[in-house]
Amino acid sequence: MPAKKTAAKPPQASFKTILFDVAGGVATLTLNRPDKLNSFNTEMHGEIRAAMKQVKRDPRIRALLITGSGRAFCAGQDLSDRAVAPGKDKPRDLGESLEKYYNPLIRTLRELEMPVVCAVNGVAAGAGANLALACDLVFAGRSARFIQAFCKIGLVPDSGGSYHLPLLVGRARAMGLALLGDALPAEQAEEWGLIWKCVDDDALMREATAAAQALAKGPTVGLALIKRAINSAATSTLKDQLALEQDLQRVAGYTADYQEGVAAFLGKRAPKYKGR
Ligand code: LHQ
């Protein structure tokens, strides 16, 4: 495990396009451009990046929760942002936008050494849908829907969508979603295995926050290792995966939390995990 987490920093309060809050071991990052359905612009990308740096550095943070404010989760790229809107004079290099902003974000979420919970509070379209799919435990309100909107504007699924979609729902359904761009309601998303759980809208934040808080109180080194093992499976052979499990179990077995977990089990009491 790479060394991490040096000094605690106070929560960043000066963001304009996101809200960022740390409480009870959980960092909550709320996409906050509700009048634009929380679509991504360059400023929001910059602020998310700064918040993610804080998540990695702050030793108090042991789980991340991502959600959106207002009626949408995220409508993907802000199509009116000058950085990506088709120019009058010359075509835009959209690959550059992925390289600079979306790809690093998706990699950061997947590699983050803590569970990432997502509360999809409304429509999730384009890169917004695929941001959710890159998280580890996705809850969605019953009124939420997932739209691979790219095909409607001549683009291809990005932000890891072409990777996560077939992994989660299989090729046939991935093709249908990506080629047709139909809205997939949250309930069906759960039935198809695209997300963890669909819950009533008014229960969404309660359930997602409770899950994030429970994870933050858990043996978080072990949970991060679980995440690494599961994420590796898609590109691994059984032989390599068994070797990885062996390596990760070795690391997990030396944690104080493993000792505490076994002691608590044998002592018939609740464990008190410290995340180390
Ligand atoms: C928006 C947007 C939006 C700006 C709603 N932008 N204003 C990566 C790299 C580089 C370039 C391109 O893209 C990417 C990745 C991507 O994410 S591509 C996919 C981009 N996203 C979309 O194509 C989705 C576009 N939005 C929609 O299809 C609908 O708005 C959805 C289905 C999300 C919601 O529909 P409704 O609930 O009917 O809301 P609405 O359409 O009426 O939108 C409300 C307002 O939000 C409206 O503005 P207005 O001023 O009329 O109230 C929309 O224009 C604005 N809005 N999405 N992505």
Side-chain angles (χ1 to χ4, degrees):
M1 297 282 289
K4 64 168 202 170
K5 295 185 174 178
T6 47
K9 285 197 172 177
Q12 169 67 262
S14 59
F15 294 128
K16 284 201 288 194
T17 63
I18 62 170
L19 304 172
F20 186 72
D21 168 70
V22 181
V26 178
T28 302
L29 191 165
T30 306
L31 307 175
N32 193 32
R33 302 179 70 228
D35 51 325
K36 297 282 182 186
L37 304 191
N38 302 321
S39 55
F40 286 100
N41 62 6
T42 309
E43 187 178 21
M44 191 160 93
H45 275 297
E47 294 191 345
I48 293 174
R49 181 171 297 186
M52 292 306 298
K53 275 193 186 151
Q54 200 173 323
V55 170
K56 285 191 219 170
R57 277 199 212 114
D58 187 337
R60 295 173 304 164
I61 300 173
R62 290 166 62 185
L64 171 65
L65 172 62
I66 300 179
T67 190
S69 63
R71 72 176 176 92
F73 172 67
C74 175
Q77 170 65 42
D78 182 335
L79 295 171
S80 63
D81 192 24
R82 279 177 46 212
V84 295
K88 284 200 180 106
D89 351 307
K90 59 179 176 116
R92 305 280 181 195
D93 176 1
L94 299 189
E96 191 182 314
S97 168
L98 298 188
E99 185 183 354
K100 267 196 199 160
Y101 303 116
Y102 290 94
N103 292 354
L105 171 60
I106 299 304
R107 282 196 301 266
T108 298
L109 292 172
R110 286 270 310 212
E111 289 162 15
L112 194 67
E113 289 180 357
M114 67 183 73
V116 181
V117 178
C118 187
V120 181
N121 54 298
V123 66
N130 294 338
L131 167 70
L133 301 187
C135 298
D136 303 319
L137 206 55
V138 185
F139 292 83
R142 209 165 295 285
S143 68
R145 55 214 157 102
F146 295 81
I147 309 176
Q148 294 295 320
F150 308 89
C151 59
K152 306 273 190 195
I153 53 172
L155 295 183
V156 298
D158 61 23
S159 304
S162 66
Y163 179 86
H164 289 125
L165 271 179
L167 257 183
L168 291 165
V169 299
R171 182 177 183 275
R173 284 170 169 168
M175 278 292 186
L177 292 171
L179 290 175
L180 301 173
D182 292 343
L184 185 73
E187 220 158 302
Q188 202 169 0
E190 183 194 303
E191 280 164 27
W192 283 13
L194 189 73
I195 62 167
W196 169 240
K197 220 178 212 184
C198 166
V199 299
D200 288 338
D201 287 344
D202 59 4
L204 176 68
M205 285 317 291
R206 195 171 60 244
E207 290 220 19
T209 305
Q213 283 172 346
L215 289 165
K217 287 195 181 78
T220 33
V221 173
L223 299 182
L225 297 174
I226 291 174
K227 173 171 171 170
R228 206 195 292 180
I230 299 288
N231 283 345
S232 139
T235 53
S236 193
T237 60
L238 174 62
K239 184 169 169 241
D240 290 345
Q241 195 67 14
L242 288 171
L244 179 68
E245 287 175 1
Q246 182 180 321
D247 289 345
L248 299 182
Q249 202 69 299
R250 187 166 285 133
V251 176
Y254 285 122
T255 60
D257 281 346
Y258 168 61
Q259 288 186 21
E260 166 62 9
V262 175
F265 174 76
L266 296 176
K268 300 191 186 302
R269 61 172 174 83
K272 281 191 190 138
Y273 292 119
K274 296 201 167 78
R276 53 186 165 78

